[in-house]
Amino acid sequence: MDRTEFFGSQVGGESVISYSYTDMPWKLMMWDVRYFFTFAWALPWVLWPVRPCDGDHFDELSFTWENMWCIFIHSILVVLQLFFILTLPLALLFPVWMVALGMVAFFTLNWLLCLGLNGSTITFESDPKYAPALEEHAHEQWIFLNGVAVGEAWLKSNINRLALTFKRPVIGVHNRTTGIIFDVVECLIQRNFGYATSDIRAAYKIVKEKLYNPQYTKVIFILHSQGGIEGGLVLDWLLQELPQDLLSKLEVYTFGNASNHFNNPHRHVDAQTAERKLPRVDTLIPTTITEIPLTDSPVETHHSLASRRQPSNGSAHSFEANRRVPTFTTSLSKESSTSRATAYTVPASDRAIAHVEHYAHTTDFVALWGILHFVRNERASPSMPRYIGRVFSRTSPRGGHQFCQHYLNGMFPLARDASGVFVGCAERNDFMSSTVEVAEKGSERDDLREAPENSWSLMELAGRRASILKGGVEVHGSFCEDKDGIDDGKVRVKDLSRLWQYRNGRSPPDHLREVRRMTVE
């Protein structure tokens, strides 16, 4: 049976924990090897289920010539690499020159086979037929970094699938494969030693250039599998170097994330302290701000801002019928009960990076070994690495690891026209309509994880009655129109997922950048 758990973002803090990505690499490697075998039961779900292939040629395991070629080469690489690893101890029985010669021959053969998968280019662009460049999206740049075992053919399928789903051109940064087994070894080296391979450096260069480019007000960075490790290292570098106003352009969305940490610090210690001490209290911004109405067009958003709301003397919840942002009033001054202004609930307040969301399957080995291990661990949270970002953890019979076939087909399925041609993202699916359960594991101490109240997206009233989540969390509707006809007072994934708001060329109703810079009181 399908079910979805929601994990509010960890808050972060000053503690230095015993099992952290900042620890000694050999200790991290020991933990990784241990948990590799702990979660080994889920290894078949890296490929399983092999059917259905709802995305046709986009799906990694569909019967196309390119896919069959990739699977054939990978099968040869698995056999060769297993043989190489198992025979390594025998190297002690042979002269050094003979061992060196054998290794040169093996790695040359491995490189030649991988060349047939990878090609010679490290960056790709999606095919314009799936998403032509439109003026209304000219201020956005979408970038994708792939995971394990992806060659040129699968990367092109990945970025074309993203382009068709979100109706934006996508740049693909190729994390080149060296074979499944060697890719896993590379994962261990990257996430435990912090080693930056050439594709990490290329992704960093591209993302940094786009953030500095004044043309772009949004840079959407999508990561899958090993791409989560590499993207996490890219973010670490960006957080060290870039000004805060540039970082606020960035949004990060991951699928089956294999990393052991994900950083996104608060901008101000006051915000972090408030969130740790008062995890069940909404973050309030005591000011009047410009509202932005819901729209399918970001151009319309930029050019049709609503006028600023005037201070209100009311003390109850208020909502103006022709506005899109739910508000309530709060006092600005302890001394004066007459000094009041509109206050807005803002999610994940005061973070350096605007938005971070993670999507994971509970039967995906990579997600279990990566993100899910660190956000819902059995051990107390203070002894684990910080993993910032909201997590949607899905249990489903279709919960494998492949990006298109398992994640996108299950969470962002495609729609067809009358002739059977894909036309974009389907407006309804089981995942987005599933009821959210607020997860408990990994949140043993309330001050280490933001409360669900602080996790909702900035929402519009779309005709639905106020929803109540277990624990008294009130949600005032959804960005999207309630086309499912569901009005049972429950919070659903589509009410919380920001990435969902980008489907088919739409855009979320963003609040102004100035809001993110304000200090929580």
Side-chain angles (χ1 to χ4, degrees):
M1 180 178 178
D2 286 13
R3 59 190 293 262
T4 303
E5 289 184 300
F6 175 81
F7 297 83
S9 177
Q10 294 178 0
V11 174
E14 62 184 15
S15 61
V16 178
I17 49 187
S18 60
Y19 176 23
S20 170
Y21 73 98
T22 57
D23 213 327
M24 296 299 292
W26 63 265
K27 180 188 277 191
L28 298 177
M29 188 71 76
M30 288 176 59
W31 281 111
D32 275 357
V33 171
R34 170 185 171 181
Y35 284 108
F36 180 92
F37 291 104
T38 299
F39 299 121
W41 61 268
L43 278 170
W45 274 267
V46 171
L47 299 176
W48 190 264
V50 295
R51 291 291 179 274
C53 291
D54 299 332
D56 292 351
H57 63 281
F58 292 115
D59 293 353
E60 291 85 353
L61 304 179
S62 63
F63 287 116
T64 67
W65 284 110
E66 288 183 330
N67 288 349
M68 294 301 101
W69 171 255
C70 292
I71 293 171
F72 173 69
I73 296 296
H74 274 300
S75 299
I76 296 174
L77 288 170
V78 166
V79 173
L80 285 176
Q81 292 173 4
L82 275 176
F83 177 78
F84 173 78
I85 292 173
L86 293 175
T87 57
L88 268 180
L90 298 179
L92 299 174
L93 305 178
F94 295 92
V96 173
W97 68 268
M98 191 176 295
V99 173
L101 188 62
M103 286 191 171
V104 169
F106 169 79
F107 282 110
T108 300
L109 177 59
N110 194 90
W111 175 78
L112 289 172
L113 288 170
C114 291
L115 191 61
L117 294 173
N118 292 325
S120 57
T121 306
I122 199 169
T123 58
F124 297 86
E125 294 184 2
S126 57
D127 192 326
K129 74 178 181 180
Y130 297 111
L134 302 178
E135 179 62 27
E136 64 187 39
H137 299 138
H139 67 290
E140 297 179 9
Q141 180 61 69
W142 288 58
I143 302 170
F144 174 71
L145 184 55
N146 64 273
V148 167
V150 174
E152 179 179 343
W154 282 345
L155 176 61
K156 287 181 177 178
S157 292
N158 291 169
I159 60 177
N160 286 336
R161 175 64 159 84
L162 287 171
L164 180 61
T165 302
F166 300 106
K167 298 300 182 182
R168 277 97 163 167
V170 180
I171 293 176
V173 182
H174 194 189
N175 165 28
R176 296 173 178 172
T177 182
T178 54
I180 296 173
I181 295 176
F182 281 6
D183 282 354
V184 172
V185 173
E186 185 179 60
C187 285
L188 291 170
I189 294 172
Q190 286 174 336
R191 85 176 197 171
N192 295 325
F193 291 84
Y195 178 70
T197 50
S198 60
D199 40 290
I200 295 177
R201 300 173 190 276
Y204 169 72
K205 181 176 182 292
I206 291 171
V207 174
K208 186 175 181 180
E209 286 178 349
K210 301 303 181 184
L211 289 173
Y212 267 103
N213 190 334
Q215 172 187 342
Y216 302 114
T217 61
K218 286 185 182 180
V219 176
I220 313 298
F221 198 21
I222 300 179
L223 312 169
H224 174 239
S225 184
Q226 184 185 7
I229 300 175
E230 301 190 346
L233 294 175
V234 169
L235 294 185
D236 290 344
W237 287 358
L238 294 174
L239 288 167
Q240 292 172 18
E241 294 191 14
L242 264 64
Q244 294 292 308
D245 57 339
L246 295 185
L247 286 171
S248 69
K249 296 182 181 182
L250 187 61
E251 299 182 19
V252 184
Y253 302 95
T254 79
F255 294 84
N257 197 331
S259 67
N260 61 2
H261 73 282
F262 224 79
N263 286 322
N264 186 17
H266 287 83
R267 296 169 184 242
H268 305 93
V269 68
D270 289 345
Q272 184 181 79
T273 302
E275 204 164 315
R276 287 172 62 87
K277 289 182 177 180
L278 302 172
R280 297 296 173 186
V281 178
D282 284 347
T283 299
L284 304 181
I285 295 182
T287 187
T288 300
I289 63 174
T290 300
E291 296 177 2
I292 300 178
L294 180 68
T295 175
D296 287 348
S297 169
V299 173
E300 180 185 342
T301 296
H302 291 315
H303 295 288
S304 61
L305 297 179
S307 60
R308 292 182 179 271
R309 191 183 298 272
Q310 297 300 318
S312 169
N313 290 326
S315 59
H317 287 70
S318 63
F319 182 76
E320 201 168 303
N322 62 338
R323 304 298 186 188
R324 295 288 189 172
V325 182
T327 69
F328 59 92
T329 58
T330 184
S331 175
L332 284 177
S333 171
K334 294 181 180 179
E335 292 79 10
S336 172
S337 60
T338 61
S339 176
R340 297 178 180 275
T342 303
Y344 291 76
T345 300
V346 177
S349 62
D350 208 48
R351 293 285 187 183
I353 298 171
H355 301 278
V356 179
E357 290 179 356
H358 307 284
Y359 298 82
H361 287 141
T362 57
T363 49
D364 174 6
F365 167 79
V366 178
L368 288 168
W369 193 37
I371 181 173
L372 294 182
H373 173 55
F374 296 107
V375 299
R376 67 172 190 176
N377 58 85
E378 298 286 352
R379 304 173 63 197
S381 290
S383 65
M384 301 296 284
R386 297 286 181 247
Y387 216 104
I388 307 300
R390 295 142 192 181
V391 182
F392 297 91
S393 172
R394 187 191 192 195
T395 300
S396 169
R398 301 187 61 167
H401 179 66
Q402 299 304 306
F403 183 61
C404 292
Q405 184 159 340
H406 298 146
Y407 276 106
L408 294 187
N409 283 357
M411 298 179 176
F412 298 85
L414 295 174
R416 300 175 187 262
D417 61 15
S419 61
V421 177
F422 289 126
V423 293
C425 184
E427 289 297 325
R428 308 178 192 178
N429 67 75
D430 292 340
F431 172 67
M432 289 297 167
S433 297
S434 63
T435 303
V436 168
E437 302 174 24
V438 178
E440 297 295 334
K441 290 183 180 180
S443 54
E444 290 83 352
R445 299 192 181 183
D446 287 341
D447 64 345
L448 293 176
R449 187 180 297 280
E450 68 173 352
E453 294 94 322
N454 291 335
S455 299
W456 315 135
S457 303
L458 189 63
M459 297 178 178
E460 62 135 355
L461 292 176
R464 297 177 59 185
R465 65 173 178 261
S467 304
I468 303 294
L469 197 73
K470 184 177 179 182
V473 180
E474 188 170 358
V475 180
H476 297 281
S478 168
F479 279 130
C480 56
E481 297 178 6
D482 192 13
K483 296 181 179 179
D484 291 344
I486 302 173
D487 191 14
D488 55 7
K490 295 181 180 179
V491 179
R492 304 184 184 279
V493 174
K494 66 179 181 179
D495 298 322
L496 308 179
S497 170
R498 180 176 175 84
L499 186 58
W500 175 247
Q501 314 310 322
Y502 284 106
R503 71 194 185 283
N504 295 327
R506 292 180 173 87
S507 294
D510 289 318
H511 48 76
L512 295 182
R513 294 294 174 188
E514 285 75 8
V515 172
R516 297 195 184 103
R517 301 194 193 103
M518 301 190 67
T519 305
V520 175
E521 295 185 357

